[in-house]
Amino acid sequence: MAGRFVRASKYQPRFAAEQATSRDATNADLAVSAACAGHVFGKSTRKEFCYDNLHISRNAWDTNLVKANPEYLSVNWESSGGGAFAVIPLNEKGKLPDQIPLFRGHTAAVLDTDWHPFNDRIIASASDDGKVFVWEVPQNFTLYTDGDEVVDVKPVSKLTGHSRKVGQVLFNPAAENILASASGDLTIKLWDIGTGQANLALKHPDIVQSLSWSANGALLVTTSRDKKLRVWDVRQQQPVHEYPGHEGAKNSRAVWMGEHNRIATTGFSRMSERQIALWEPGTKAPIGGFTSLDSISGICMPFWDDGSSCLYLAGKGDGNIRYFEYENDKFEFLSEYKSADPQRGIAFLPRRGINVHENEIMRAFKTINDSWVEPISFTVPRRAETFQSDIYPPAIGLKPAMSAKEWLDGKTGVPAKIDLESIYEGSAPVEIPADFKPAVAPVRTPAAAPAPAPAPKKEPEPAPAAVYRAPPTAADQKASISNMANKYQDDEESSDDEAETSSFEEISRPAPRPVPAAVRTPVTAAPPAQAKPPSPTKATPAPLSRTTLGDAPKSSSSSDSELLDKIKELFEHQNKIIGAQSDKITAQSQLISQLAADVEALKKRVGPGSQEQSERIRQLELELEEARS
C-alpha cells in the first residue's frame, strides 16, 4: 500500500514525537492519535452479511441517507403515505423481511436523521414537512415479528417551529439533549429535546448545506449556498468567523476535526474539480490553499476519525473511499478503498463500537443500488493476539460533559473517554477523564522507548568495517591486538553479543567475529563477571584470540607473517558470509517478484470475479506487502 504507514516500528516514534509538540493538540492523547502505524486496509463484506431488501429513499436532498451507532443503523426509507425511516439492529444481517416496522409520523419525506451521542436508543429526524421528531427505539427491538400485522413506531416528541423543510439535524457532541436543526427558512434552531424548547436560533444568510460541531460543543461550522464558510459562537447567536469557501456551484461540506482546532472542507472549484481544504478558525484562507482531488462530479462526504487522525472522503456516485492522515497541518494521502458499486449515502460508526479484537480502526456503512447496505471494515492487519494500545487511544464514551442547562448557561467541556482495553477484555468500560493525563504514560511508552538514542551511537559496527577496508601496519596491529586482547579478554564475547545484529537471523553469525572485536576501540567497560556461557559457535575462536594473537609480540619477526595470514583468513571468511547473505537476498527478491507476477496474472484471469475470488486476491496482495516489508 502506498502511503506513509509503511513501517510501524520506524514510523510510530517519529509521528508520536511530532504530534506531542503540535500546537493545536488540546489533549495528551493526540500525541499518539495516529499510532495506527502499519497498513490500513478497507475490507468489503459478503452480501449474505450485508443488510439486503431495503427501500432506500430516492429523494435528491443532499444528506448521507444513513446513520449508525454501535447498536442500530437508520435508513431514510422510500415510502408512500408520508415520510418514514427504518431502524435496523446491526446484528440482524442478511435479507430482511418484506414488511418491517418503520418509524412513521412525518407527513413528507424524511431528509436526515441523527443518533443521540450518549443514548443509543434515541434518534432525531428532519423532514420536508418542516418538523423535527424525536424517537426512542423500543426495548428488544427486532425486524422479525411473529404477528401478521407489522406495528410501526411513533415519535415520543415533536419539535415544531420551522416554517420550511428541515434539511439537517445534528446532536451536540458534548452537551446532553442539545440538538441543532437547519431549515430552508434560513435559521438554525438549537433545541433542548428534554423540554422541547428552541432556546437559541441562528439567522443564516442562505440555505445551509452542512454543519458540524466542535468537540466541546461551543462552536458550530456551516457551509451554505452563498459559498461562505462560517464559524458560529452558538450561545452568542452570531458568527465569529466568515470566509469565502469553495467557488464551485455544487454543494460543499465541512467537518470539525475533533479536538484539533481545525476544519476540513470539501467542495468544487469554478472548473468543477473536486477540492479539499484545511482551515484554522481565525484565518481567512485555507492552510496551503485549495487542493484539487479529481474531476468527478459527485459530492465528497467527509468523515473525521479522531483516534487515528485520519480523514475519510467518500464520493457520491462513485464507489471509492480515500483516506488521509492529518500531520503538521497537512493531509497526507494514505490509500483508497476501491469498489465497483457506487454509493449515494454512507455512515461511519463511533469509535466505541469498532471491533478491537480484529484490529479494526473504523467501520463504514455504504448504500448500494438503493436496495442494500454494505459494511466496510478498515483494519490494521497484525498477528498479535493482545490489545494493541498504539492504535486504540481512549474513545468518547456515553457520559456527556454537561447537561443541557449547564450548556445553555455557558459551560464548556469535552466528554469523558473510555479505555478501549476494558472493552477488549470484555469488562465494563473504564472511564477516563477528558484530559486523562495520568493515562498518557502507558499509552506513550511504546513511542518513548526509542528515546535512548545514544545506544545506536555506541554501536561499534563501523569501527571494524573501517579496519577491514584499510588495515593499519603490521607493527600497529601487533601491538594493538596484544594489548587489547590481554586487557579485555573477558569482555570480547559479550560485546559481540550486544553489537552484532543481522536481518537474516537464520544465517549463523561469523565464527571469527571475536578477533576483530579485540581490534576495535572499546566503547563501554562491561563488568568482568559473565554469567552467560559463550555460545558453541564462539567457543572455538576464543582460544585463538588469546593464544596465537595474544602471544604475537613475544614471537620473532616471523610472527608478523602469521598475523597477516590470520587476517587474510578473516577476510576470506567474511567474504563467504557476505556472499551467502547476498544469495539469500537474491532468492527473496526472486520470490517476491514471482508472487507479484502471480497476483497480477490472477487478477487478469479472474477479472471482476466473485466475492471469494476478490477476497483471495486481497489476501495475496496482503502477503505480498508483508514480504516486501
Side-chain angles (χ1 to χ4, degrees):
M1 179 192 78
R4 307 178 63 231
F5 284 174
V6 176
R7 292 189 180 272
S9 60
K10 294 182 179 179
Y11 179 78
Q12 176 186 340
R14 179 181 62 81
F15 182 80
E18 292 175 353
Q19 284 286 23
T21 58
S22 177
R23 55 181 178 150
D24 59 335
T26 58
N27 239 328
D29 63 324
L30 298 181
V32 290
S33 60
C36 60
H39 306 297
V40 181
F41 290 95
K43 181 181 179 181
S44 59
T45 306
R46 290 189 296 180
K47 192 168 183 180
E48 55 264 32
F49 298 109
C50 297
Y51 305 92
D52 198 5
N53 198 26
L54 306 181
H55 302 281
I56 301 172
S57 174
R58 293 179 175 83
N59 191 284
W61 184 255
D62 180 27
T63 55
N64 293 347
L65 296 177
V66 291
K67 289 290 180 69
N69 70 15
E71 298 292 334
Y72 303 103
L73 177 71
S74 68
V75 181
N76 295 1
W77 205 257
E78 183 71 19
S79 65
S80 58
F85 65 96
V87 170
I88 304 169
L90 292 187
N91 59 354
E92 296 186 2
K93 301 177 181 179
K95 186 175 182 180
L96 302 181
D98 292 332
Q99 298 293 327
I100 63 173
L102 297 176
F103 285 59
R104 289 187 181 273
H106 288 287
T107 58
V110 173
L111 302 180
D112 194 22
T113 58
D114 192 43
W115 290 99
H116 197 295
F118 309 112
N119 188 333
D120 288 341
R121 293 175 52 220
I122 300 296
I123 185 172
S125 63
S127 171
D128 210 344
D129 61 10
K131 296 181 177 60
V132 177
F133 288 175
V134 179
W135 316 71
E136 183 176 8
V137 180
Q139 287 280 3
N140 302 319
F141 178 75
T142 178
L143 301 181
Y144 297 90
T145 57
D146 296 332
D148 295 334
E149 185 176 351
V150 177
V151 179
D152 292 330
V153 180
K154 301 299 180 183
V156 297
S157 177
K158 300 181 180 181
L159 310 178
T160 58
H162 288 295
S163 59
R164 294 191 177 182
K165 67 180 178 183
V166 182
Q168 292 91 11
V169 284
L170 191 64
F171 276 100
N172 189 301
E176 186 176 20
N177 294 338
I178 296 296
L179 176 70
S181 62
S183 169
D185 61 10
L186 307 186
T187 63
I188 299 175
K189 292 186 179 295
L190 286 305
W191 306 86
D192 178 355
I193 64 171
T195 62
Q197 300 297 318
N199 302 89
L200 302 170
L202 312 179
K203 295 182 179 179
H204 211 280
D206 210 330
I207 293 178
V208 175
Q209 295 173 339
S210 73
L211 65 162
S212 180
W213 288 98
S214 61
N216 59 12
L219 301 176
L220 186 72
V221 60
T222 63
T223 60
S224 61
R225 192 176 293 178
D226 62 2
K227 305 176 185 178
K228 295 288 184 65
L229 180 72
R230 294 178 175 85
V231 177
W232 299 77
D233 185 335
V234 179
R235 288 167 291 198
Q236 297 297 323
Q237 304 183 62
Q238 61 183 6
V240 291
H241 305 294
E242 181 176 326
Y243 322 116
H246 298 270
E247 298 180 342
K250 296 183 179 180
N251 285 10
S252 62
R253 296 228 186 162
V255 61
W256 207 291
M257 294 166 54
E259 297 179 43
H260 295 277
N261 188 33
R262 297 290 186 272
I263 299 165
T265 62
T266 60
F268 293 82
S269 67
R270 289 185 178 180
M271 303 302 294
S272 296
E273 293 180 331
R274 290 202 293 197
Q275 295 178 327
I276 183 175
L278 173 67
W279 304 78
E280 178 182 9
T283 304
K284 294 184 178 180
I287 300 173
F290 296 97
T291 302
S292 294
L293 298 174
D294 51 42
S295 299
I296 302 176
S297 60
I299 295 170
C300 264
M301 298 175 280
F303 300 90
W304 172 253
D305 174 27
D306 213 25
S308 59
S309 287
C310 287
L311 179 72
Y312 294 79
L313 299 183
K316 279 197 173 187
D318 62 77
N320 301 340
I321 302 174
R322 295 182 176 97
Y323 35 105
F324 300 78
E325 176 197 5
Y326 169 69
E327 180 186 12
N328 295 331
D329 273 343
K330 290 190 299 182
F331 288 122
E332 299 287 352
F333 176 74
L334 294 180
S335 188
E336 182 176 11
Y337 168 80
K338 296 183 179 181
S339 171
D341 299 315
Q343 65 248 352
R344 284 187 57 232
I346 193 167
F348 277 72
L349 197 65
R351 289 187 61 246
R352 58 186 172 87
I354 57 181
N355 189 343
V356 294
H357 292 275
E358 298 293 335
N359 292 336
E360 182 181 60
I361 63 170
M362 186 55 64
R363 190 189 313 164
F365 298 85
K366 60 176 284 186
T367 67
I368 299 178
N369 297 331
D370 292 337
S371 61
W372 52 293
V373 171
E374 177 190 26
I376 302 169
S377 178
F378 294 91
T379 61
V380 178
R382 292 183 180 178
R383 293 196 179 103
E385 297 180 358
T386 57
F387 178 72
Q388 305 294 296
S389 60
D390 59 330
I391 63 175
Y392 291 120
I396 297 295
L398 289 172
K399 184 177 179 180
M402 68 209 85
S403 66
K405 185 178 184 304
E406 289 174 332
W407 183 82
L408 291 169
D409 291 340
K411 184 177 178 179
T412 299
V414 177
K417 295 181 172 63
I418 57 174
D419 185 3
L420 293 180
E421 186 171 5
S422 60
I423 297 178
Y424 179 89
E425 296 170 351
S427 58
V430 176
E431 184 176 303
I432 297 177
D435 51 10
F436 75 96
K437 291 182 180 179
V440 171
V443 174
R444 296 187 62 180
T445 298
K457 296 180 181 177
K458 293 181 181 180
E459 284 190 19
E461 285 284 316
V467 172
Y468 296 152
R469 289 195 301 268
T473 63
D476 293 340
Q477 282 187 340
K478 184 169 58 177
S480 176
I481 291 174
S482 174
N483 295 333
M484 302 303 293
N486 291 332
K487 186 176 181 180
Y488 295 100
Q489 284 181 26
D490 296 332
D491 296 339
E492 36 181 52
E493 292 176 6
S494 62
S495 64
D496 268 355
D497 291 338
E498 295 176 1
E500 188 165 12
T501 58
S502 174
S503 59
F504 299 96
E505 295 181 357
E506 64 274 11
I507 297 178
S508 61
R509 296 172 179 171
R513 292 292 273 182
V515 177
V519 179
R520 54 180 177 259
T521 304
V523 178
T524 57
Q530 297 294 329
K532 184 175 67 173
S535 60
T537 58
K538 300 183 179 181
T540 302
L544 176 65
S545 63
R546 293 168 185 162
T547 58
T548 305
L549 298 182
D551 296 336
K554 302 175 184 179
S555 63
S556 64
S557 59
S558 62
S559 63
D560 293 346
S561 60
E562 295 177 1
L563 178 61
L564 292 177
D565 292 339
K566 295 297 181 182
I567 294 177
K568 290 179 180 179
E569 290 179 6
L570 286 177
F571 278 133
E572 293 173 357
H573 191 80
Q574 288 291 344
N575 290 335
K576 292 180 181 179
I577 296 299
I578 294 173
Q581 291 182 341
S582 300
D583 294 341
K584 185 67 175 177
I585 293 173
T586 304
Q588 288 188 343
S589 300
Q590 293 175 349
L591 179 61
I592 292 173
S593 301
Q594 181 63 33
L595 184 57
D598 291 345
V599 171
E600 294 299 326
L602 184 58
K603 282 184 178 180
K604 294 179 181 178
R605 190 189 321 151
V606 172
S610 63
Q611 185 72 22
E612 296 181 356
Q613 291 171 333
S614 299
E615 290 293 336
R616 178 56 183 160
I617 292 175
R618 288 193 182 92
Q619 184 63 30
L620 288 174
E621 290 177 338
L622 177 58
E623 294 176 0
L624 177 59
E625 290 294 340
E626 290 179 348
R628 285 176 174 168
S629 62

